[in-house]
């Protein structure tokens, strides 16, 4: 019997997980993307693109496609889709498991200022002009127009359009992973004195955090949002290893 799995993606790990599970002949995978990135990298498995239409839309999709397991492998800051996934799973009785990698912890020498939101990060920069490295999604950087006194270095996967209404902004297009040595060079050559980052966890984007520590640069770290309480695994390998448990009939899972 073939089990149908829907992976909510948009992250490197979701793609890796899909690749990992696609090797199994008893599983049929669909990877779901929101459609935000203009040219997403090839995913290697069947993909559907675009929102479902809230909790009800996702629940209907799960029923129509007879999905046996829902895997939430979206970005940790994509709180809406994660909340919708937990609710749709509860409504339909489809088991759910989330991939949630551990966050970064401050280490000796780190100068982190913790804030709860992008707006909080804008405020935390203060009123005196600074050279700020924004390594955030292109949807989020617009908030920094509220502090036009700073010079911004803005790195994103897709171009930021429209450009920010500030007089000093440099735009950089790049897709991770980013090496610490390269990040150090970037911070130094642009005379960056503060980095704004999400606490994404993982290796691929940690280079800027390690480089900031080395250079004694402040990091304004946006805390993770509250996420629904569902079973979760921290790594692709750990999640792939427990998939069978979640594909068992509910009675055997003890739910
Ligand atoms: N937020 C970040 O920092 C970040 C960083 C890297 C990648 N991403 C990826 O970018 C996507 C959008 O992030 P976001 O923060 O805008 O999400 P969000 O605020 O949690 O979700 C907003 C809406 O986008 C749709 N959506 C989100 N992820 C989807 C998916 N994988 N498949 C189908 N529909 C999806 C849903 O629309 P409906 O209600 O219509 O279903 C959802 O209600 C996610 O897939 C996430 O993994 C986000």
């Amino acid at each position: 019997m073939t089990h149908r799995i829907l992976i909510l993606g948009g992250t490197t790990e979701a793609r890796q997980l899909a690749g990992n599970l696609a090797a199994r002949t008893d599983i049929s995978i669909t990877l779901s993307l929101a459609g935000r990135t203009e040219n997403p990298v090839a995913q290697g498995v069947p993909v559907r693109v675009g929102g479902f239409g809230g909790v009800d839309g996702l629940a209907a999709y799960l029923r129509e496609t007879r999905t046996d397991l829902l895997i939430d492998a979206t970005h940790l800051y994509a709180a809406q889709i994660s909340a919708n996934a937990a609710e749709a799973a509860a409504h339909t009785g489809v088991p759910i498991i989330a991939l949630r990698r551990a966050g970064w912890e401050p280490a000796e020498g780190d100068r982190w200022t913790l804030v709860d939101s992008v707006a909080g990060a804008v405020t935390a920069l203060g009123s005196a002009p600074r050279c700020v490295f924004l390594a955030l999604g292109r949807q989020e950087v617009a908030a920094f127009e509220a502090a036009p006194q700073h010079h911004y270095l803005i790195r994103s996967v897709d171009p930021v359009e429209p450009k920010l209404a500030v007089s000093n902004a440099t735009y950089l297009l790049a897709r991770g992973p980013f090496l610490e040595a390269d990040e150090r060079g970037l911070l130094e050559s642009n005379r960056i004195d503060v980095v704004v980052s999400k606490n994404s966890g993982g290796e691929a984007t940690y280079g800027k955090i390690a480089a900031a520590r080395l250079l004694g640069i402040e990091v304004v770290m946006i805390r993770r949002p509250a996420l629904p309480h569902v079973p979760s695994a921290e790594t692709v390998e750990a999640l792939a290893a427990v998939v069978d448990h979640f594909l068992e009939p509910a009675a055997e899972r003890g739910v």
Side-chain angles (χ1 to χ4, degrees):
M1 183 183 150
T2 304
H3 299 288
R4 302 184 64 92
I5 298 183
L6 177 66
I7 301 177
L8 302 173
T11 58
T12 306
E13 279 97 340
R15 195 173 72 244
Q16 290 167 346
L17 179 68
N20 181 312
L21 295 177
R24 289 180 51 167
T25 52
D26 60 334
I27 288 177
S28 138
I29 307 271
T30 301
L31 182 59
S32 176
L33 303 178
R36 302 277 199 282
T37 304
E38 284 161 15
N39 296 302
V41 292
Q43 307 287 321
V45 293
V47 170
R48 66 156 301 285
V49 180
F52 296 93
V55 175
D56 293 345
L58 179 53
Y61 180 92
L62 294 175
R63 287 195 194 98
E64 281 159 20
T65 54
R66 297 170 186 272
T67 296
D68 297 303
L69 173 63
L70 177 60
I71 299 178
D72 175 11
T74 58
H75 194 272
L76 285 152
Y77 286 73
Q80 186 60 57
I81 186 70
S82 292
N84 291 359
E87 239 185 286
H91 286 184
T92 55
V94 172
I96 180 171
I97 178 163
L99 181 57
R100 302 223 179 110
R101 65 182 163 210
W104 300 316
E105 296 292 336
E108 178 83 40
D110 273 327
R111 293 177 53 215
W112 288 10
T113 301
L114 297 175
V115 296
D116 286 323
S117 62
V118 175
V122 176
T123 309
L125 294 178
S127 50
R130 303 174 80 181
C131 282
V132 187
F133 177 36
L134 297 183
L136 300 173
R138 62 174 172 160
Q139 280 96 14
E140 288 132 351
V141 296
F144 291 86
E145 287 183 343
Q149 70 276 26
H150 304 300
H151 184 116
Y152 294 102
L153 174 65
I154 301 169
R155 182 169 69 195
S156 55
V157 173
D158 291 314
V160 175
E161 294 293 351
K163 301 280 184 244
L164 261 57
V166 299
S167 45
N168 280 310
T170 306
Y171 298 87
L172 197 61
L173 289 184
R175 198 193 290 267
F178 301 103
L179 297 175
E180 180 183 335
D182 296 339
E183 297 291 64
R184 181 180 177 172
L186 185 75
L187 298 182
E188 282 181 320
S189 61
N190 288 277
R191 297 196 196 86
I192 296 298
D193 51 44
V194 55
V195 174
V196 180
S197 174
K198 292 176 179 170
N199 191 340
S200 302
E203 293 293 318
T205 59
Y206 188 68
K208 61 180 178 280
I209 307 298
R213 175 167 61 236
L214 217 72
L215 299 170
I217 292 173
E218 180 188 1
V219 174
V220 174
M221 185 68 81
I222 303 169
R223 283 196 185 90
R224 292 178 166 203
L227 293 170
H229 294 286
V230 299
S232 66
E234 284 195 7
T235 64
V236 169
E237 294 70 28
L239 197 150
V242 297
V243 154
D244 286 310
H245 175 71
F246 286 84
L247 288 170
E248 288 165 7
E252 288 174 32
R253 273 200 319 276
V255 294

